[in-house]
Amino acid sequence: MMTAISSPFSLAGKRILVTGASSGLGRQIAISCAQSGASLIICGRNVERLQETLSQLTGEGHSVIAGDLTDDDVIAQTVEQAGSIDGVVHCTGISVPMPARMTKREFMERLYSINVFTPQLLTAQLLLKNRINKDGAILFLSSIAAVRGVHGMSVYSGTKAALIAATRCLALETAKRGIRVNCLAPDLVETPMLHGSGANMPTEEWLDQQRAIHPLGLGTPDDVAHAAIFFLSSASRWITGTTLIMDGGITH
Ligand SMILES: NC(=O)c1ccc[n+]([C@@H]2O[C@H](COP(=O)([O-])OP(=O)(O)OC[C@H]3O[C@@H](n4cnc5c(N)ncnc54)[C@H](OP(=O)(O)O)[C@@H]3O)[C@@H](O)[C@H]2O)c1
């Protein structure tokens, strides 16, 4: 008789909260976590797109929480509804290029509110209410822009660098509870974020140039989801406070 060997990369039996799950990386991370055996709590603002993500989740026990996470009441409601979890992946974020000379206070406040305050305040409430189980994992989405210069991204890069710094400190605070904290720093990944409208958004011509200069091309949402599974699973049980750079080999 064959004995089943459980993989350290499995998420079977785990409950994972994914923010920004109505699109791009968050959606794919939710789908891949469900394929690895987890039940998901998925968050975002757009109910229709959240339902679309929900319809792609295999397995059972998934739920949806809709709302704007820059609102403290929505954070409180999310923590309440999530219940006990084994992991959280913070994919909520916006990326808006802006020439440094055009930067205004309102623009900075919006980016910092969504990219920094939201993941850190949600994490704070999850820890305060003891929602994250022992051996649980917290995962932030930073960016390559936090570690190397990217034209027009001085504000965005600051928001993403803040998450790398916070990861190191949080990891020290949560280690005694057996909770790990890590961060992913991807370069360009083909998601709706790259194809938005607006004066400063990347052109298709620029994206083609980027595809050509990255030794392994640009990333896919699957690439990032596979790394997320590693950091959520017991395969990474000895890793905390770290940031994984994922850039197709352009930083060498
Ligand atoms: N794509 C890349 O190349 C890349 C590279 C490096 C890092 N990242 C980072 O990875 C994360 C995900 O990026 P992505 O490419 O998946 O972007 P995306 O496709 O634009 O998705 C962003 C997600 O954030 C959610 N969101 C935005 N503001 C929110 C708010 N106030 N409250 C609640 N949810 C909010 C959106 O929800 P709704 O649509 O429902 O509003 C959406 O689900 C971001 O932090 C980004 O900075 C992306």
Side-chain angles (χ1 to χ4, degrees):
M1 196 176 87
M2 297 266 289
T3 316
I5 300 170
S6 67
S7 163
F9 296 91
S10 168
L11 298 182
K14 292 188 188 290
R15 276 170 56 75
I16 309 290
L17 173 67
V18 181
T19 72
S22 53
S23 179
L25 300 183
R27 170 177 283 171
Q28 187 56 52
I29 287 169
I31 292 169
S32 298
C33 286
Q35 286 166 351
S36 296
S39 56
L40 274 299
I41 304 120
I42 55 172
C43 309
R45 290 174 301 188
N46 187 302
V47 177
E48 205 176 308
R49 282 193 276 105
L50 271 178
Q51 289 297 336
E52 214 176 291
T53 304
L54 183 67
S55 71
Q56 294 182 50
L57 301 183
T58 52
E60 290 176 349
H62 311 301
S63 54
V64 170
I65 306 172
D68 185 330
L69 282 167
T70 58
D71 180 338
D72 284 346
D73 290 339
V74 174
I75 289 184
Q77 184 198 334
T78 303
V79 171
E80 193 54 39
Q81 279 182 240
S84 280
I85 58 171
D86 302 290
V88 53
V89 189
H90 295 284
C91 298
T92 294
I94 54 169
S95 163
V96 186
M98 181 65 73
R101 68 183 186 286
M102 305 297 287
T103 302
K104 300 278 192 304
R105 177 179 296 279
E106 192 190 347
F107 172 76
M108 286 192 72
E109 284 178 351
R110 187 162 72 93
L111 252 69
Y112 272 85
S113 174
I114 297 173
N115 291 0
V116 184
F117 292 6
T118 289
Q120 285 202 248
L121 290 172
L122 176 57
T123 298
Q125 288 302 308
L126 288 167
L127 292 172
L128 187 69
K129 307 273 179 184
N130 283 320
R131 292 294 200 236
I132 307 179
N133 296 330
K134 187 170 178 305
D135 299 327
I138 298 168
L139 189 60
F140 292 107
L141 257 297
S142 178
S143 162
I144 197 72
V147 291
R148 75 180 172 89
V150 180
H151 195 268
M153 295 303 241
S154 59
V155 178
Y156 176 77
S157 65
T159 68
K160 293 302 179 178
L163 296 177
I164 294 178
T167 294
R168 291 192 201 101
C169 303
L170 258 170
L172 297 177
E173 288 188 41
T174 60
K176 60 182 179 299
R177 303 189 196 196
I179 298 169
R180 294 171 296 106
V181 188
N182 291 293
C183 194
L184 302 178
D187 204 318
L188 298 169
V189 184
E190 303 275 8
T191 72
M193 186 174 265
L194 293 194
H195 303 282
S197 53
N200 299 317
M201 292 309 287
T203 61
E204 284 306 318
E205 188 188 3
W206 182 82
L207 284 171
D208 279 342
Q209 285 165 8
Q210 295 302 313
R211 288 181 189 107
I213 62 172
H214 284 70
L216 296 178
L218 301 191
T220 68
D222 267 334
D223 295 326
V224 179
H226 294 154
I229 287 172
F230 170 67
F231 281 112
L232 291 165
S233 73
S234 63
S236 61
R237 63 156 293 278
W238 201 47
I239 303 173
T240 195
T242 196
T243 294
L244 178 68
I245 290 174
M246 314 179 66
D247 66 356
I250 199 165
T251 311
H252 48 261

